[in-house]
Amino acid sequence: MRIDKFLANMGLGTRKEVKQLIKAKAVTVDGTFVKDSGYSINPETADVRVYDEKIVYKPTIYLMLNKPPGVISATEDHKDQTVMDLLADDVRHYDLHPVGRLDKDTVGLLLLTNDGDLTHQLLSPKKKVPKKYFAHIDGVVTDEDVKAFSEGVEIGEGYITKPGELIILESAPMSKIELIITEGKFHQVKRMFEAVDKKVVFLKRLQMGTLLLDETLAEGDYRELTVEELENLRAK
Ligand code: URA
């Protein structure tokens, strides 16, 4: 692993900050100052120090999955296939969990990690992290729906949603829309459309905070976040 990635993953700063540490001769590997941010180390065995403080290696991992339909976003289930079953052996042994839930039939962006702090940061209602969805809607989606969503709709038990931004891509008997919401109530998007007498027939998550679904990932495929994607997510 590159030394800059290692240090950024261990929470020592952004890639830029980590580079500055290296430039400032603050970083040693096995007793020797590192000059090159791309210097390669074995994180399991290298003795990495910053200002002579040993950095204890705690492997964290961040995977972006393009969730396929028919699998559930849980770590285990006695009946259904879970997103964990899609992972290869080399990442399975990390204690990963999905960041939030997508319904069994929902597809698209799902982050898997073992970083509890980041998970908390992304899911805490206080942080109001925006989530963007694309959907096919059975029914003609109108400007009244846009207005209703912008004011909040009742989705059951008297709960009124926070404002959502509804973008109509195609208003037709089978409409196409995008919706940005900052909450993650159970079946939230489906229930918001039920509140205006329409039905979600296809739902895909495109974005969570700054993280965009990599459309080159086929459904069921995943990849590690880039250093930049991780930095941006953490910064929010
Ligand atoms: N809203 C839903 O209704 N389902 C999802 O999977 C995600 C958001």
Side-chain angles (χ1 to χ4, degrees):
M1 190 190 294
R2 286 172 62 111
I3 185 72
D4 56 357
K5 184 174 183 196
F6 172 87
L7 292 171
N9 279 2
M10 293 304 109
L12 280 131
T14 62
R15 191 170 42 168
K16 206 167 151 204
E17 286 161 352
V18 157
K19 282 200 168 112
Q20 274 158 6
L21 281 177
I22 292 167
K23 230 172 152 186
K25 286 203 167 173
V27 182
T28 57
V29 173
D30 298 326
T32 306
F33 285 111
V34 179
K35 291 190 210 103
D36 175 9
S37 303
Y39 184 73
S40 185
I41 62 159
N42 177 346
E44 304 276 356
T45 56
D47 179 332
V48 180
R49 289 171 190 254
V50 175
Y51 293 118
D52 214 27
E53 289 260 341
K54 186 165 165 58
I55 308 302
V56 178
Y57 180 50
K58 182 176 155 283
T60 48
I61 179 162
Y62 306 85
L63 302 176
M64 173 194 299
L65 169 72
N66 185 358
K67 181 190 169 298
V71 299
I72 60 168
S73 48
T75 47
E76 49 183 42
D77 192 82
H78 52 271
K79 194 165 101 251
D80 285 308
Q81 196 189 21
T82 74
V83 288
M84 297 302 154
D85 297 321
L86 301 171
L87 305 180
D89 288 344
D90 63 336
V91 291
R92 244 183 212 221
H93 67 276
Y94 292 101
D95 198 12
L96 293 167
H97 55 258
V99 179
R101 292 196 168 219
L102 291 178
D103 296 336
K104 188 172 169 183
D105 58 352
T106 301
V107 300
L109 176 65
L110 187 66
L111 177 63
L112 304 171
T113 185
N114 53 1
D115 181 338
D117 292 341
L118 184 67
T119 303
H120 174 74
Q121 188 189 318
L122 291 172
L123 297 183
S124 163
K126 279 194 218 130
K127 305 273 181 185
K128 297 198 177 80
V129 172
K131 274 133 322 214
K132 185 174 182 181
Y133 294 89
F134 167 78
H136 295 177
I137 309 296
D138 187 357
V140 181
V141 179
T142 63
D143 288 342
E144 280 93 87
D145 299 328
V146 173
K147 185 159 179 288
F149 281 17
S150 73
E151 289 164 359
V153 286
E154 213 247 66
I155 56 170
E157 290 156 19
Y159 184 78
I160 315 269
T161 61
K162 301 262 178 325
E165 187 187 343
L166 175 59
I167 300 148
I168 302 174
L169 302 176
E170 228 178 281
S171 178
M174 189 62 74
S175 300
K176 288 185 185 153
I177 62 94
E178 285 179 352
L179 175 62
I180 302 166
I181 53 174
T182 56
E183 303 169 284
K185 301 277 177 218
F186 186 59
H187 294 332
Q188 176 147 353
V189 177
K190 292 174 184 167
R191 286 159 69 200
M192 287 177 79
F193 278 97
E194 275 163 24
V196 294
D197 293 322
K198 280 153 204 138
K199 193 171 160 36
V200 173
V201 292
F202 172 78
L203 186 60
K204 177 177 186 176
R205 182 154 63 192
L206 302 176
Q207 188 171 357
M208 186 176 203
T210 55
L211 188 63
L212 297 174
L213 175 67
D214 179 344
E215 296 279 0
T216 66
L217 283 175
E219 281 181 5
D221 282 357
Y222 59 90
R223 66 158 169 80
E224 275 197 67
L225 297 199
T226 64
V227 173
E228 202 178 355
E229 284 170 334
L230 183 55
E231 268 177 35
N232 289 338
L233 258 190
R234 281 199 178 124
K236 291 291 151 193

